[in-house]
Amino acid sequence: MRDRVLQEPEVRVIINVTNSVNCAWDSIRVPVIVPLLRLAMILCSVMSILLFVERLYMAIVILCLKVLGKKRYTKYRLERMKEDLELNKSYPLVLVQIPMFNEKEVYRLSIGAACGITWPSDRLIIQVLDDSTNEELKELVELECHRWLEKGVNIKYETRNNRNGYKAGALKEGLEKHYVEDCEFVAIFDADFQPDEDFLWRTIPYLLENPELGLVQARWKFVNADECMMTRLQEMSLDYHFSVEQEVGSSTCSFFGFNGSAGVWRIQAIKDAGGWKDRTTVEDMDLAVRASLKGWKFVFVGDLAVKNELPSTFKAYLYQQHRWSCGPANLFRKMTKEIILCERVSIWKRLHLIYAFFFVRKIVAHWVTFFFYCIVIPASVVVPEVKLTKPIAVYIPATITILNAVCTPRSLHLVVFWILFENVMSLHRTKAAIIGLLEANRANEWVVTEKLGNTMKLKNSLTILKKPRSRTVERIHVLELLMGMFMLHCAVYDMLYGKDHFFLYLMMQAGAFFIMGFGYVGTFVSS
């Protein structure tokens, strides 16, 4: 009896608090939440349709190109240009730039691959642009360059006293060196890229045949795609980017975003565009847009792949995706007016730049993934007054997913994991895009993506998979955990009161948020 008397006040308090919360929810649900959620539903539905139409358009273009066999780069008479070069011995002077920053694990790979490129030695300059802050590492890189110099390779080792402009600043200062004055073309490789020895033979002829061509871009091939689940899922997204987005841009209006590596520029095109600028974190895209507005054309060579490395730690991937999402949004803010007023290019090309390239792919794609699939759809479960339409909520995203997944046939069985992973990452991409549009804090944050090179193969697996206890807190990501709790709440509610079985999706998505929220994704590397 005494226990019962003592427990009753506590029970009453809990009941009263619960009743108060329910009353508060009921009082704001109909007049406030329902109208807001309906408006969000309309906006997200419109964005879904915009994204769907864009993806469908690109799929049709790619299908036509494959059926007709008329990809842009296949129109060039590459073999004839090679024969003319060898016959006349009129090789252009080519500069190869390798920007790097504290690249301990990969500097030998990139320098060795660049020095192995087959091109007349007197017509080739290898330029290593080292912004490293580690003095011991700088000595090692310089020693590696000296080793290749002794083998007869014309290699230059350049350093700076500061990191002004980051990669853009390094590339800009590299082009200002006196020995570059006679160079016609510049090939750019990030520190983890390993071009094949015939890379220049498969790119330079395009530029020689067409004087209007300013850029030749190769696709990327990932050497560590099988390292972990996260790298497999990254491969799916990037394969779509290269196989579809870059190919469509190249074939329809001779424009696409420069990927920052594995490309060859005509130096005159860089000069006409105003050179490298560091006003955003996507200096490569910035240069490509400005060069395109000056009338220069680009070509994407889909059958030429350059080996490189995907970020395999979650922390490195987050930094990379922030840069890749924030930068384009910030550039969109800065260049919209300039694109609209540019009379040198056609209206069609300007429309493509503003609507398709920037707005749909760099803004809408992130926003609709996060707000619709992670906020609006789960919220509609606990607000029965708002009804979801299956074509918008199920059929359209399913079609978009299929169009993306077919570009990586070997990973089709991972498509569900890819959806869950991309939805979680949309949280960070959306946040970064908003920061870029508003030019808020972190808009110009530049963190070099960490590369592991051969570390994963050389170190003992137990050392790699084990993390010090002191770093456990660093692996916790609060935003993901909060989203996971929200998703789990909606899933339980739908399981108890819903009729559409959305809880199946919500449970899996909540699990994905929790897994990534606790940092159990990617490769763990001991410090």
Side-chain angles (χ1 to χ4, degrees), residues 47-150:
M47 288 194 292
S48 289
I49 293 171
L50 292 177
L51 183 60
F52 173 72
V53 171
E54 173 67 11
R55 294 292 171 92
L56 191 61
Y57 157 75
M58 289 193 291
I60 292 171
V61 172
I62 284 296
L63 186 61
C64 292
L65 291 174
K66 287 185 177 293
V67 171
L68 300 176
K70 291 186 177 181
K71 293 182 180 179
R72 186 169 181 81
Y73 64 90
T74 60
K75 298 178 182 179
Y76 288 84
R77 295 166 290 181
L78 196 62
E79 292 301 323
R80 199 196 74 177
M81 289 301 301
K82 288 182 182 178
E83 294 174 0
D84 289 345
L85 272 176
E86 294 175 346
L87 182 64
N88 300 323
K89 306 296 181 183
S90 56
Y91 304 105
L93 185 59
V94 180
L95 174 70
V96 175
Q97 290 184 313
I98 310 174
M100 59 176 60
F101 176 74
N102 293 339
E103 307 288 1
K104 180 181 178 181
E105 307 296 344
V106 295
Y107 74 90
R108 283 196 182 94
L109 295 174
S110 58
I111 293 174
C115 292
I117 291 176
T118 56
W119 195 257
S121 58
D122 61 329
R123 308 302 294 167
L124 180 65
I125 302 173
I126 309 294
Q127 187 183 65
V128 177
L129 304 167
D130 190 7
D131 276 357
S132 298
T133 53
N134 186 318
E135 293 300 325
E136 293 183 5
L137 180 56
K138 289 172 73 172
E139 291 178 6
L140 291 174
V141 176
E142 186 175 11
L143 187 64
E144 182 70 11
C145 292
H146 185 70
R147 190 169 70 85
W148 283 102
L149 186 64
E150 291 179 339

Side-chain angles (χ1 to χ4, degrees), residues 72 204 220 513:
R72 186 169 181 81
I204 297 296
W220 296 359
F513 272 107

Side-chain angles (χ1 to χ4, degrees), residues 449-464:
T449 305
E450 179 187 21
K451 292 101 179 177
L452 300 181
N454 289 327
T455 302
M456 302 305 298
K457 298 176 183 178
L458 299 177
K459 289 186 178 180
N460 185 283
S461 60
L462 292 176
T463 305
I464 292 168

Side-chain angles (χ1 to χ4, degrees), residues 96-379:
V96 175
Q97 290 184 313
I98 310 174
M100 59 176 60
F101 176 74
N102 293 339
E103 307 288 1
K104 180 181 178 181
E105 307 296 344
V106 295
Y107 74 90
R108 283 196 182 94
L109 295 174
S110 58
I111 293 174
C115 292
I117 291 176
T118 56
W119 195 257
S121 58
D122 61 329
R123 308 302 294 167
L124 180 65
I125 302 173
I126 309 294
Q127 187 183 65
V128 177
L129 304 167
D130 190 7
D131 276 357
S132 298
T133 53
N134 186 318
E135 293 300 325
E136 293 183 5
L137 180 56
K138 289 172 73 172
E139 291 178 6
L140 291 174
V141 176
E142 186 175 11
L143 187 64
E144 182 70 11
C145 292
H146 185 70
R147 190 169 70 85
W148 283 102
L149 186 64
E150 291 179 339
K151 293 182 178 181
V153 177
N154 187 7
I155 186 169
K156 308 289 184 180
Y157 177 71
E158 303 289 352
T159 61
R160 301 190 295 165
N161 295 326
N162 55 68
R163 288 192 68 210
N164 292 343
Y166 302 107
K167 179 181 174 181
L171 294 171
K172 181 179 180 180
E173 291 190 24
L175 289 178
E176 293 172 353
K177 302 299 179 181
H178 65 90
Y179 54 80
V180 178
E181 292 178 359
D182 295 328
C183 292
E184 294 183 53
F185 310 110
V186 56
I188 301 170
F189 301 103
D190 284 345
D192 58 314
F193 278 71
Q194 304 165 50
D196 290 337
E197 60 180 19
D198 63 346
F199 179 84
L200 293 181
W201 286 104
R202 298 177 65 182
T203 52
I204 297 296
Y206 291 106
L207 294 158
L208 293 175
E209 182 172 340
N210 186 356
E212 295 182 346
L213 207 59
L215 167 67
V216 177
Q217 173 73 58
R219 69 176 297 148
W220 296 359
K221 180 181 179 181
F222 311 108
V223 296
N224 65 332
D226 293 324
E227 190 169 303
C228 60
M229 176 68 78
M230 191 180 79
T231 53
R232 286 290 294 271
L233 302 179
Q234 287 180 66
E235 181 190 37
M236 292 178 70
S237 298
L238 288 170
D239 277 352
Y240 178 84
H241 168 70
F242 285 104
S243 300
V244 179
E245 291 181 346
Q246 298 295 73
E247 194 69 75
V248 169
S250 176
S251 299
T252 55
C253 56
S254 301
F255 169 78
F256 48 82
F258 174 45
N259 293 115
S261 186
V264 184
W265 276 94
R266 190 185 301 273
I267 293 180
Q268 187 58 49
I270 297 177
K271 292 179 179 178
D272 286 351
W276 293 99
K277 293 185 179 181
D278 61 349
R279 56 182 177 172
T280 70
T281 58
V282 283
E283 75 294 323
D284 42 16
M285 184 183 295
D286 189 348
L287 176 62
V289 174
R290 286 184 283 114
S292 179
L293 295 180
K294 291 293 182 179
W296 290 100
K297 298 179 179 180
F298 306 160
V299 66
F300 173 72
V301 185
D303 62 356
L304 175 60
V306 179
K307 293 183 290 184
N308 70 102
E309 180 183 326
L310 290 164
S312 56
T313 65
F314 189 45
K315 182 179 179 181
Y317 186 59
L318 285 180
Y319 280 125
Q320 183 203 67
Q321 292 303 297
H322 175 84
R323 195 171 73 243
W324 286 6
S325 303
C326 179
N330 193 222
L331 185 62
F332 182 43
R333 168 194 171 110
K334 285 179 164 66
M335 293 205 67
T336 300
K337 183 178 179 181
E338 183 179 345
I339 294 170
I340 293 173
L341 297 179
C342 180
E343 297 181 355
R344 188 162 183 173
V345 297
S346 65
I347 295 177
W348 159 248
K349 195 166 191 175
R350 280 179 277 168
L351 180 64
H352 170 78
L353 272 168
I354 292 175
Y355 173 75
F357 182 75
F358 276 116
F359 181 65
V360 175
R361 299 181 198 171
K362 312 302 181 186
I363 307 295
V364 168
H366 302 326
W367 288 13
V368 74
T369 304
F370 176 66
F371 288 118
F372 196 31
Y373 308 135
C374 300
I375 300 292
V376 174
I377 290 179

Side-chain angles (χ1 to χ4, degrees), residues 507-522:
M507 280 289 189
M508 290 190 294
Q509 192 62 70
F513 272 107
F514 283 129
I515 289 171
M516 296 173 74
F518 285 111
Y520 288 101
V521 64

